[in-house]
Amino acid sequence: MRKGLALLAAMLVVVSSGALAADPGHKFVTQSGPAGDVSRGEFTPTRADTHWYGNADPVTGLAVYPGVWDFDSDPLGDGYFQGWTSRDMTLDIYGQLWQWVTADSFPNDPYTPMMEPDPPYVTFGQVWVGIHEDVANLNDFVTGMGYANNNCQRAFSPFLDMAQNDEFRVRFDYFNDTEPEYDYTYIYGLFYDSDEVLVTEQMLKYFDGITGDTAGLPWEDPQTFNQQFILNNIDSNTVKMKLELRFFTDGGWADEDGLWDCQGGPFSFDHMRLKRNTIDMLPGIWWEFETSDAEDWTFGICDGIGAFMSIVPQNIWEEWVELSGLICPCDMVGNALECVDETDETYYPPPHPPEQYEMLTSNIIARDPAHVGTEFNQSLVEWYSYDDLQNPAGTFLRIGYMMYPYTSLYNTDPHWSRRRGQDTYFYTGDEPACGLNRHNYNTLNGRAGDPISADWDSMRVTYELNCDCDGFGIAESTCLEFPEEGRTWGAPVLDDFRVGITGGADAPPIV
């Protein structure tokens, strides 16, 4: 999905992609309702004999029939979550991807992306970041070897002595192959005190797009970065520094979805020198990367924003609803789910942290064999919610599913799919609201995306909460105004989820 292709306002007036193109970083398609197409206004009709699943069996952990996730009982001893779990989507699921490589590191890949810089340098090893073909295939990547959406990877040099107002020079050979203006490799200077505690960091440079001769393969035409930096306004306690290369991708256009085909990995570097240019003329450090220890460079992933799903009792969410200014009562009773940061005391009710991207996922719904057949051709999800996700707050939701069995051209063994469903994220209008939502997994309520197969065997419900003004193309000035980014008066609060299996308008009656 292309970032920022469209923004559909509450009056359903389309804003063209051209109006957004000048602002890099828009990564999501958004639409609105009120309550958008989530939807209170566009119900899929249900039949009296719809079969509803929810809650959890205390022995198997599966959703039960008939059942509803009301979060008021604790059959699994998991604190009333009834099998629901949450994942911080800002935490890179692929683990550490930076690695020291040689030509022997790519035995099952279509390319061997080893650079051959101009003499006098020779290359045996180098540092590379990316996802190999076998891992890509297991994860259904459309274009195989390369990189994923939502990667965030870090490579750190050893320490180098440094002081305030120093000058230093960085030089290395590299190639880059990432989506322009959205996916980057950054160079950061990390500055530490005498106890090796990080004092501050500065972004020094970034790379995007395809380097070198774009008609060929980028590692066959490596580039040389060579630049001097003056450390102005660095904290006076600074005595050491590290260099960091940080690889970051947004939520769309990568080898994962096939919209950006990175041939042999997104970035690699070699023959690096970090040198101080002070009066003592210290020689600096050379890293040739010819040994498997990567010459004391270390690698890791970025910290995530966090996962905040929690059970909220009725007396608390009722207080949130009242403080939002909503006059009409909410037809919810007892416990409910929420995912605000209750440790943040900036506002009350508590807000969402900027850049929060969290996916709530139900336990498994294993379809009863009696509910399989051509007369059962529609699958629905229904839930009650208190919502106040306004566009200026940069906070959006999206309903979806995961299913089993799933196969792809790249992984033909039956396996669980990733999140599928509507492409679109939604805000819920300009005023708080409470009510029933119903979503049809087969029609996606008329929106673009991946409908569920009518003959699915097992599935899970997914609910995504995404708070990201920059990612949704909302101006920083707007997000600093009322309501500020992430401020939703505690919303969303979710209750009484259930998944229904029924027949569509053209299906015969269920006997």
Side-chain angles (χ1 to χ4, degrees):
M1 177 181 61
R2 183 59 164 162
K3 289 75 62 192
L5 288 180
L7 180 65
L8 191 58
M11 295 299 292
L12 303 184
V13 177
V14 176
V15 180
S16 72
S17 60
L20 301 176
D23 297 317
H26 306 161
K27 50 188 172 181
F28 302 113
V29 177
T30 63
Q31 295 179 326
S32 178
D37 172 56
V38 178
S39 131
R40 301 194 181 103
E42 300 179 24
F43 284 125
T44 297
T46 61
R47 298 160 55 118
D49 49 8
T50 299
H51 302 285
W52 296 102
Y53 292 74
N55 212 302
D57 183 279
V59 177
T60 66
L62 301 174
V64 297
Y65 163 72
V68 59
W69 287 284
D70 58 13
F71 310 112
D72 292 324
S73 63
D74 194 11
L76 301 179
D78 62 354
Y80 298 94
F81 289 108
Q82 298 177 348
W84 281 71
T85 55
S86 182
R87 175 184 149 200
D88 177 4
M89 300 292 285
T90 67
L91 192 64
D92 200 321
I93 66 171
Y94 292 96
Q96 179 181 301
L97 298 179
W98 283 107
Q99 56 185 293
W100 177 80
V101 296
T102 69
D104 295 331
S105 301
F106 305 91
N108 301 312
D109 293 309
Y111 298 102
T112 303
M114 299 300 294
M115 295 182 290
E116 293 295 340
D118 294 334
Y121 303 112
V122 294
T123 295
F124 171 72
Q126 62 192 43
V127 178
W128 177 84
V129 64
I131 294 175
H132 292 280
E133 185 86 357
D134 52 355
V135 176
N137 288 343
L138 285 174
N139 288 279
D140 305 305
F141 280 29
V142 176
T143 53
M145 177 187 188
Y147 67 91
N149 299 318
N150 300 309
N151 282 147
C152 191
Q153 300 283 326
R154 309 180 76 180
F156 303 95
S157 76
F159 281 111
L160 179 70
D161 290 338
M162 188 61 58
Q164 190 180 31
N165 299 320
D166 259 354
E167 299 179 14
F168 67 97
R169 179 171 293 277
V170 179
R171 183 253 180 246
F172 56 86
D173 299 315
Y174 74 99
F175 75 82
N176 192 88
D177 185 355
T178 60
E179 182 198 7
E181 298 186 352
Y182 295 100
D183 301 335
Y184 298 93
T185 304
Y186 297 94
I187 305 176
Y188 278 88
L190 309 180
F191 303 100
Y192 298 81
D193 63 18
S194 58
D195 295 322
E196 298 183 357
V197 174
L198 182 66
V199 176
T200 189
E201 66 176 36
Q202 284 192 3
M203 197 271 284
L204 306 174
K205 178 72 176 179
Y206 63 82
F207 305 96
D208 65 336
I210 303 175
T211 56
D213 181 4
T214 57
L217 300 171
W219 58 90
E220 294 179 345
D221 185 22
Q223 306 297 293
T224 298
F225 177 78
N226 191 349
Q227 188 168 329
Q228 182 169 312
F229 299 95
I230 301 175
L231 301 183
N232 294 321
N233 303 318
I234 296 298
D235 189 281
S236 59
N237 294 319
T238 298
V239 297
K240 295 182 178 182
M241 74 165 291
K242 284 185 176 183
L243 202 66
E244 179 194 347
L245 276 77
R246 188 179 305 174
F247 174 63
F248 173 84
T249 70
D250 65 6
W253 282 53
D255 295 275
E256 180 178 349
D257 54 30
L259 298 176
W260 182 266
D261 186 2
C262 161
Q263 300 294 316
F267 191 85
S268 189
F269 67 95
D270 199 2
H271 308 299
M272 176 174 285
R273 188 182 191 189
L274 179 61
K275 181 183 182 298
R276 288 176 63 184
N277 291 330
T278 53
I279 193 169
D280 55 15
M281 294 303 291
L282 292 176
I285 303 176
W286 277 99
W287 294 285
E288 295 289 351
F289 301 114
E290 298 303 290
T291 58
S292 60
D293 63 359
E295 298 175 21
D296 297 325
W297 277 66
T298 55
F299 310 118
I301 64 174
C302 303
D303 294 335
I305 299 298
F308 300 92
M309 183 183 76
S310 182
I311 297 292
V312 56
Q314 181 171 346
N315 65 307
I316 299 299
W317 63 253
E318 282 184 330
E319 182 180 14
W320 294 354
V321 171
E322 181 180 354
L323 290 171
S324 77
L326 182 63
I327 298 175
C328 298
C330 283
D331 294 328
M332 299 189 297
V333 177
N335 293 337
L337 282 184
E338 54 88 0
C339 54
V340 292
D341 182 2
E342 295 191 55
T343 67
D344 187 338
E345 298 180 354
T346 307
Y347 308 108
Y348 188 82
H352 297 276
E355 299 185 21
Q356 176 188 3
Y357 181 19
E358 185 169 354
M359 184 168 73
L360 284 54
T361 305
S362 77
N363 51 329
I364 296 172
I365 303 104
R367 190 169 184 164
D368 190 306
H371 305 156
V372 177
T374 55
E375 68 271 28
F376 298 97
N377 64 354
Q378 299 287 305
S379 301
L380 319 168
V381 62
E382 201 175 74
W383 73 102
Y384 282 89
S385 63
Y386 151 59
D387 295 303
D388 198 1
L389 309 185
Q390 299 183 37
N391 183 282
T395 308
F396 299 82
L397 67 91
R398 184 169 68 168
I399 195 74
Y401 68 91
M402 301 164 66
M403 64 171 287
Y404 179 91
Y406 178 77
T407 61
S408 69
L409 293 174
Y410 326 102
N411 183 359
T412 57
D413 293 330
H415 59 283
W416 275 96
S417 74
R418 297 190 170 211
R419 183 268 169 203
R420 295 171 64 81
Q422 283 186 338
D423 294 336
T424 310
Y425 287 85
F426 297 91
Y427 57 100
T428 59
D430 299 326
E431 300 291 340
C434 276
L436 175 67
N437 309 273
R438 185 177 297 144
H439 178 74
N440 187 312
Y441 281 128
N442 296 92
T443 67
L444 305 183
N445 290 20
R447 307 304 183 187
D450 305 299
I452 198 169
S453 169
D455 59 353
W456 58 269
D457 174 83
S458 300
M459 67 165 290
R460 299 175 186 258
V461 178
T462 66
Y463 181 102
E464 293 170 276
L465 189 286
N466 200 331
C467 178
D468 190 346
C469 276
D470 181 60
F472 287 99
I474 302 170
E476 182 178 1
S477 59
T478 300
C479 274
L480 293 175
E481 296 175 355
F482 182 88
E484 298 84 346
E485 183 174 15
R487 190 175 185 186
T488 64
W489 287 267
V493 175
L494 313 168
D495 200 12
D496 293 335
F497 275 95
R498 59 180 185 168
V499 168
I501 303 174
T502 187
D506 297 328
I510 302 173
V511 178

